[in-house]
Amino acid sequence: MIPGGGQPNMQQLLQQAQKMQQDLARAQEELANTEVDGQAGGGLVKATVTGSGELRALKIDPKAVDPEDTETLADLIIAAVQAASENAQALQQQKLGPLAQGLGGSSGIPGLPF
């Protein structure tokens, strides 16, 4: 028995959960189709990732290529990919943050994750 004598409207709870699930799926699809960039070395190396973190493109300016110093190029690539990934995480937070907050205990039923 629920304190206060009220019974939760299960149909309403299920509809809310279904809507949140649809919103989450839509946001995840949008993230997968959105590209963000990161760069290093003043733009000598540019990385493009999706909002979900998948590396899509890597552009290396020929000026960054020194056969005698491949370590610097590798560092620039890593820095560009990391910058792009950080931008993707910020986009994820922006898109999914409000949905995640909506999933936090809003059902009123203990033990359910939504």
Side-chain angles (χ1 to χ4, degrees):
M1 187 163 238
I2 294 178
Q7 289 287 333
N9 181 336
M10 289 305 287
Q11 182 66 27
Q12 184 179 11
L13 291 175
L14 291 173
Q15 287 174 349
Q16 287 174 342
Q18 185 177 23
K19 182 185 180 319
M20 283 190 284
Q21 187 176 20
Q22 289 170 346
D23 291 347
L24 182 60
R26 191 172 16 258
Q28 288 173 327
E29 181 179 346
E30 190 176 321
L31 283 171
N33 293 323
T34 302
E35 293 183 346
V36 294
D37 294 318
Q39 63 178 351
L44 290 175
V45 176
K46 296 179 183 177
T48 302
V49 299
T50 65
S52 58
E54 177 187 344
L55 182 62
R56 286 278 175 94
L58 186 63
K59 294 181 183 175
I60 302 170
D61 188 303
K63 294 177 210 159
V65 181
D66 178 356
E68 301 298 317
D69 185 13
T70 58
E71 287 181 19
T72 297
L73 178 57
D75 289 343
L76 289 174
I77 292 169
I78 291 168
V81 172
Q82 285 177 337
S85 294
E86 288 171 7
N87 291 337
Q89 288 177 351
L91 183 63
Q92 288 173 9
Q93 195 66 10
Q94 177 186 345
K95 296 281 184 192
L96 299 178
L99 293 173
Q101 290 172 359
L103 295 175
S106 65
S107 71
I109 301 175
L112 286 183
F114 52 87

